[in-house]
Amino acid sequence: MVRKPTSKETARKPNMREAILAAAEELFATNGFNAVSVRDIAHAAGANPGSVTYHFKTKDGLLLEIYRRHCGPMNLRRSELLAAARRVRDLQDRLEAIVRAYVVPAFTSGSDLAGGGARFTRLRAVMSAEGNEVARKIIAQTFDDTSHAFIDAIHESLPHIPRTDIVWRSHFLLGALYYSLVTPERVSRLSRGEVDGSDAAGAIEQLVRATVAAFQAPALDQAASARRRPVVSSKT
Amino acid sequence: MVRKPTSKETARKPNMREAILAAAEELFATNGFNAVSVRDIAHAAGANPGSVTYHFKTKDGLLLEIYRRHCGPMNLRRSELLAAARRVRDLQDRLEAIVRAYVVPAFTSGSDLAGGGARFTRLRAVMSAEGNEVARKIIAQTFDDTSHAFIDAIHESLPHIPRTDIVWRSHFLLGALYYSLVTPERVSRLSRGEVDGSDAAGAIEQLVRATVAAFQAPALDQAASARRRPVVSSKT
DNA sequence: TGATCTTTTGTACGATAGTACAAATCACAT
DNA sequence: ATGTGATTTGTACTATCGTACAAAAGATCA
């Protein structure tokens, strides 16, 4: 049942299993889960459809394994960066460091695969949009702890902002992050070719700058939101 | 070929066609395009699968009609609100009015259907995540003009910020907006039940407040981004 | 009422989906 | 070299997909 480690275990593994995982990740991230067939994946990986069944049992199992593969490393990286960020003295600098600790691992390689970070984050974005069941379970289990840790850290560096507002702004951050990875070409189009939406470094700097400012915005006045103005101000 | 208008044309239409559109909108918006079958839609609408083919010819045609139904009203509403916002004197107030003009129609009813605005926006979010072909074409045709108009308006109220940065921040805004509609329950969860992520009015106020601050952030210094620091600051 | 058009129903067809499984092949310790 | 377990291949099965289409039902007006 369990594969016995051979002498060359840690060395070269021209493994079909890896190729299938990589192909599935790429296809799921760009087309969604349901639009991609097991045969598509096998073909992209240069494998036989039966191979997918052999290694991952079901299509859901394949998705599950993709998550398992990335969640650990990415959250570990985030924890490290968050711990370092918490030690920054200046509150303004600390906030930026915290945001960076959240954003950077999402764009950069979270595992040994090149570009794995961005691809996996994009995959998560697409799965959450599709309301994928498998993904929903894993995310609630794996990411909520991390999210709470970041929210707490941000709250510490912005004590005068209610936690509620910080939750909203963190949510907006994740949405912006996801969308930047899902449709980078839209940025290129709207800027009339002046910027490349696929440039991870550029996207990170812009996202960090904008998000830090958003976090620092004054909180919504509770009294004001109680006597909140109607959603539509004029009646057409 | 063209349906002849009857005497009661503008009055009651207990039309199957409408029921199918509504059901499809709801199902597509929550499960994605590919996860929903024509039979699912027909069943949810209390119709026969053949009825869908009759009214919309293909599944793509059904999606197309959903877009056609909403794009006009929503962009019209946005144009009206944008025009009004442009007339606001105070630059700070004007920026907020512009952002509100962009956000509000996405949350509130863009057509005669109750909750149609939010549902359609969520649909767009899901379609863009799935990379849906039909949606991509319509969006580039229909929404880019509106987006440019908003970007221009924002740029006018923030003349010292490069257009490039405004494009990025508008993109982040749309991502945050989309994500708020896709997974409102995440906000409830992360706030430990303190806020209701499905409360449109609350979401709008939070989004407007955060986004205005993000737009007002100082621009990225061009020189600094040329000698940009590496993506990962420490090497582990 | 009967003729004509629109809408709905029921059913069927070919394509493709996920998955199962036996046979073939490979890797490697002995 | 040979046997053994891991992997890959090829193929087949059943279910469901989008769509087509003929027949039934409903509506409209002479």
Side-chain angles (χ1 to χ4, degrees):
Chain A
M1 191 72 76
V2 176
R3 193 167 53 86
K4 180 170 34 175
T6 69
S7 51
K8 290 182 116 49
E9 176 66 9
T10 54
R12 197 67 12 237
K13 292 199 295 181
N15 243 350
M16 203 83 274
R17 190 186 145 94
E18 302 294 331
I20 293 170
L21 278 170
E25 215 176 288
E26 176 67 24
L27 288 172
F28 286 159
T30 51
N31 301 105
F33 184 76
N34 296 287
V36 176
S37 72
V38 172
R39 286 168 175 81
D40 290 337
I41 295 165
H43 181 259
N48 190 284
S51 238
V52 178
T53 309
Y54 171 72
H55 285 290
F56 307 101
K57 199 63 190 172
T58 67
K59 197 182 171 188
D60 277 358
L62 174 54
L63 181 63
L64 200 68
E65 182 56 28
I66 291 174
Y67 271 84
R68 258 206 281 271
R69 179 61 68 102
H70 283 93
C71 283
M74 173 171 287
N75 276 333
L76 184 64
R77 187 100 192 85
R78 274 184 169 163
S79 296
E80 291 169 0
L81 292 176
L82 179 60
R86 274 176 182 281
R87 287 192 293 271
V88 174
R89 278 281 163 70
D90 180 79
L91 280 188
Q92 161 100 20
D93 288 350
R94 190 197 296 175
L95 175 61
E96 177 173 332
I98 294 170
V99 171
R100 213 173 275 276
Y102 188 77
V103 168
V104 166
F107 276 91
T108 61
S109 181
S111 75
D112 42 0
L113 293 168
R119 196 170 45 195
F120 177 59
T121 305
R122 178 169 178 176
L123 176 82
R124 279 158 50 212
V126 175
M127 292 305 120
S128 100
E130 283 189 316
N132 185 285
E133 261 305 306
V134 178
R136 177 147 46 209
K137 273 181 211 154
I138 303 185
I139 283 183
Q141 284 174 16
T142 312
F143 283 93
D144 278 10
D145 287 348
T146 309
S147 298
H148 274 121
F150 272 91
I151 289 168
D152 291 343
I154 292 168
H155 197 190
E156 277 172 31
S157 79
L158 291 168
H160 57 292
I161 308 281
R163 209 190 128 91
T164 290
D165 294 53
I166 293 182
V167 168
W168 270 113
R169 293 166 189 181
S170 304
H171 194 67
F172 299 151
L173 164 58
L174 186 54
L177 172 53
Y178 275 176
Y179 194 53
S180 298
L181 287 167
V182 166
T183 59
E185 80 284 353
R186 183 176 175 272
V187 177
S188 309
R189 217 169 59 229
L190 289 182
S191 72
R192 306 199 182 94
E194 273 181 53
V195 290
D196 174 18
S198 311
D199 168 37
I204 290 175
E205 293 311 312
Q206 289 283 357
L207 185 55
V208 169
R209 174 64 58 98
T211 303
V212 166
F215 274 122
Q216 287 171 332
L220 281 187
D221 178 43
Q222 301 308 108
S225 65
R227 52 179 154 78
R228 185 181 294 131
R229 80 189 78 178
V231 168
V232 177
S233 50
S234 73
K235 45 170 305 198
T236 304
Chain B
M1 193 72 77
V2 176
R3 191 167 54 88
K4 180 171 35 178
T6 69
S7 52
K8 290 182 117 49
E9 176 65 8
T10 54
R12 197 67 12 234
K13 292 200 294 180
N15 243 350
M16 201 83 276
R17 188 186 147 93
E18 302 294 329
I20 292 170
L21 277 170
E25 215 176 289
E26 177 68 23
L27 288 172
F28 286 159
T30 52
N31 301 105
F33 184 76
N34 296 287
V36 176
S37 71
V38 172
R39 286 168 176 82
D40 290 338
I41 296 165
H43 182 259
N48 189 284
S51 239
V52 178
T53 308
Y54 171 71
H55 285 290
F56 308 100
K57 200 65 190 171
T58 67
K59 197 183 171 189
D60 277 358
L62 174 53
L63 182 62
L64 200 69
E65 183 56 28
I66 292 174
Y67 271 84
R68 256 205 283 270
R69 180 61 69 102
H70 283 94
C71 283
M74 172 171 288
N75 276 333
L76 183 65
R77 187 100 192 84
R78 274 186 169 161
S79 297
E80 292 169 359
L81 292 175
L82 179 59
R86 274 178 183 278
R87 288 191 294 271
V88 173
R89 277 282 164 69
D90 181 80
L91 280 187
Q92 162 101 21
D93 288 349
R94 190 197 296 174
L95 175 60
E96 176 171 333
I98 294 169
V99 170
R100 214 173 275 279
Y102 188 79
V103 168
V104 165
F107 276 91
T108 61
S109 180
S111 75
D112 43 1
L113 293 168
R119 195 171 46 197
F120 177 58
T121 304
R122 179 170 177 175
L123 176 83
R124 278 159 49 215
V126 175
M127 293 304 119
S128 99
E130 283 189 316
N132 185 284
E133 261 305 306
V134 178
R136 178 147 43 209
K137 273 182 212 155
I138 303 184
I139 284 183
Q141 284 173 15
T142 312
F143 283 93
D144 278 9
D145 287 346
T146 310
S147 297
H148 274 123
F150 273 92
I151 288 168
D152 291 343
I154 292 168
H155 197 190
E156 276 171 32
S157 79
L158 291 169
H160 56 292
I161 307 282
R163 211 190 128 90
T164 291
D165 295 53
I166 293 181
V167 168
W168 270 114
R169 293 166 188 181
S170 304
H171 194 68
F172 298 151
L173 163 58
L174 186 53
L177 172 52
Y178 275 176
Y179 195 54
S180 298
L181 288 167
V182 166
T183 58
E185 79 285 352
R186 183 175 176 272
V187 177
S188 309
R189 218 168 60 228
L190 289 183
S191 73
R192 306 199 182 94
E194 273 180 54
V195 291
D196 174 16
S198 311
D199 168 36
I204 289 175
E205 292 311 311
Q206 290 283 356
L207 185 55
V208 168
R209 174 63 60 97
T211 303
V212 166
F215 275 122
Q216 287 171 331
L220 282 188
D221 178 43
Q222 302 308 108
S225 64
R227 53 181 152 78
R228 187 181 292 130
R229 82 190 79 178
V231 168
V232 178
S233 50
S234 75
K235 49 166 303 192
T236 286

